[in-house]
Amino acid sequence: YEQILRGGAGLFDASQEVSRSEWRQYLAAYDIANRYPGIQGVGYAPVISASQLPAHIKAVRAEGFPTYNVRPATPRAVYTSVLYIEPFKDRNLRAFGYDMYSEPVRRESMNEARDSGQPAMSSLIRLIQEPEGATPQPGFLIYQPVYATHAVPTKVDERRQQIKGYVYLPFRTYDLINNTISSSEQNYGFRMFNVNNRTREEMYVSPAFAALDTQADTARNTATIEVAGNQWEIEGIMNQAVLNRNITKRPGSVAFGGALFCILLAGFVYLLLGNRHRALSEQQEEGIKAAKDELLALASHQLRTPATGVKQYVGMLREGFAGKLTDTQQRLLDKAYESNERQLATINEMLFVARSDAGQLRMERENFDLCDMVRDIADEQRGVISQRQQKLTVRVPKRPIMIRGDKQYLRMALENVLSNATKYTRNSGHITVKLSTQGNRAIYAVQDTGVGVAKKYQSLLFQKFSRIPNELTNQVVGSGIGLYLAKQVIDAHRGTIRFESSEDKGSTVSISLPRTPKSKKTSSSRRAAPGKN
């Protein structure tokens, strides 16, 4: 469900405007009615100031809705009228034009989503879609904020200024749960409450719960889960008649005798199989490891081929081979190209990991100038760094620093270090790349003013598939193998990699590599020709 919210917000991020037909076509691919039970629809509500309201109403009426109005009609500073909702029919038509921000419970959740930049769930409410006169189901909504900056601003004040609208999902609790869990079982039941600081509201009761609740011979348990910032309390009840009472009430001596027999039998089996297990375990582990590495390499290779094809075709579209593109088409293709590039980078990293674990890395070593490589890497990443409003300082000597190694793998390692610095540095942060020499070593250092890494997590940095929790983790796309990959490459080049960090103060990654020895200029000594005198 959260992916629908984030996908809808992404559509608005990638476009200046999203039309009603584009919204309908986009959501049709999700097949919501069959794949996402309980959702009444997927909607979008723009934020409208009082001065913008007349123009907004006029524009919507011009679409073919001559009676459209924002309701309730009470004057206020800010409106958030439901502009799009799919499917746009039946009970969802009641929501069209409704200002959710005018109602306190909805407004509280919308403010929470706006200030956090994350999905936020409301307390239980009666949905606008509920028909008048009928017994309503408890309902709730989940909101995903959309910002005019096309990315989540760093500070709360900026988020409040840049809020553009909300993608939201309305739910009816009984529709959601009955379509997810079978309710025909009579031997157990449950009920659910939405719990917050002020209230404990009943949101669902299964058909069997009421009958079992009156019985004495039942077992109960209560658990609490967190859903989009809300606490859901689930109380379960079970009829103990489904258990075999004869077994549960046998004398303790029988239980003791059975336990003793099991211990003796287990000891005998352990002694019998111990030697065989030790003989086979090492062979089995090697076989499992080899199969895993082969599967990883095969899967990565099979993914790489179509991803490369996608890159070529999307690149041709971006260059105009199929005709001139609109601004919206260009932005969407740029997004697709960037996403495919990230996928290709991840696939290449997976292939490297598979080859490294299998001991099949082949280094094509050559002499090259490390200064040129560092400049190229910095230039390539300036675009991303600029988008994040970060400052990049590059300090590289004018004279060449020659090393010998595999250019492809070393470039991948150095790129990962700089990429990590940009990902985990807040907007407006500062990143410094410095290349220098110390004796016969070349030193590549990347320093940032990012979120840093707490000491208790630093031992995990160079482990495979490890991602360190911090305030930016959820906003960063990654596989958790960047620094692992870098260390494998640097170790293979007889180098070292060192990490220094303080939480919330930034990090420095330093890589030391051996320089290529300077060739000695040799000259053949010549004996002076003897003089005539």
Side-chain angles (χ1 to χ4, degrees), residues 439-513:
N440 63 348
R441 311 286 290 186
I443 309 298
Y444 171 78
V446 177
Q447 183 180 20
D448 63 62
T449 59
V451 295
V453 178
K455 283 189 176 181
K456 63 180 179 180
Y457 294 124
Q458 291 185 12
S459 61
L460 304 175
L461 281 168
F462 298 106
Q463 293 185 17
K464 204 183 332 182
F465 305 118
S466 64
R467 299 196 69 195
I468 308 302
N470 58 56
E471 66 181 79
L472 297 180
T473 300
N474 292 334
Q475 302 176 28
V476 172
V477 177
S479 57
I481 59 176
L483 288 180
Y484 169 83
L485 180 152
K487 189 175 189 310
Q488 296 298 308
V489 171
I490 300 306
D491 288 348
H493 286 81
R494 294 181 291 112
T496 59
I497 182 168
R498 188 176 62 181
F499 183 89
E500 299 174 356
S501 181
S502 297
E503 190 172 9
D504 208 36
K505 293 183 179 179
S507 306
T508 301
V509 178
S510 302
I511 292 174
S512 172
L513 292 166

Side-chain angles (χ1 to χ4, degrees), residues 225 326 401 415:
I225 60 174
T326 66
I401 298 178
E415 282 177 345

Side-chain angles (χ1 to χ4, degrees), residues 191-346:
R191 62 180 172 182
M192 298 173 61
F193 297 88
N194 185 70
V195 182
N196 56 41
N197 294 331
R198 300 181 299 276
T199 60
R200 181 174 180 265
E201 306 166 291
E202 186 177 86
M203 58 189 297
Y204 179 83
V205 180
S206 70
F209 186 91
L212 291 169
D213 194 32
T214 62
Q215 299 178 15
D217 194 15
T218 56
R220 296 172 182 264
N221 192 26
T222 300
T224 302
I225 60 174
E226 183 172 335
V227 183
N230 277 24
Q231 297 292 324
W232 284 4
E233 181 183 297
I234 306 172
E235 180 184 354
I237 188 169
M238 179 180 180
N239 187 345
Q240 286 195 347
V242 299
L243 300 176
N244 189 328
R245 297 182 183 179
N246 292 328
I247 292 177
T248 59
K249 295 182 179 179
R250 279 177 180 170
S253 58
V254 176
F256 175 78
L260 180 61
F261 174 76
C262 289
I263 292 171
L264 293 173
L265 180 61
F268 174 74
V269 173
Y270 176 79
L271 292 173
L272 185 65
L273 298 180
N275 289 335
R276 179 173 176 80
H277 170 74
R278 283 191 293 272
L280 293 176
S281 60
E282 185 174 345
Q283 180 181 353
Q284 290 173 341
E285 287 176 6
E286 289 296 325
I288 291 171
K289 184 177 182 298
K292 179 202 70 174
D293 293 339
E294 183 178 352
L295 177 61
L296 180 59
L298 178 62
S300 300
H301 183 270
Q302 293 300 321
L303 286 170
R304 187 178 185 179
T305 301
T308 303
V310 169
K311 176 180 179 178
Q312 293 173 347
Y313 289 123
V314 172
M316 292 171 66
L317 289 173
R318 293 173 74 206
E319 296 298 324
F321 278 82
K324 187 176 180 180
L325 301 173
T326 66
D327 291 343
T328 299
Q329 290 170 336
Q330 186 69 53
R331 278 191 298 273
L332 291 174
L333 282 173
D334 288 344
K335 290 277 187 182
Y337 189 85
E338 292 168 6
S339 297
N340 194 65
E341 285 291 281
R342 288 194 295 270
Q343 180 179 338
L344 273 172
T346 301

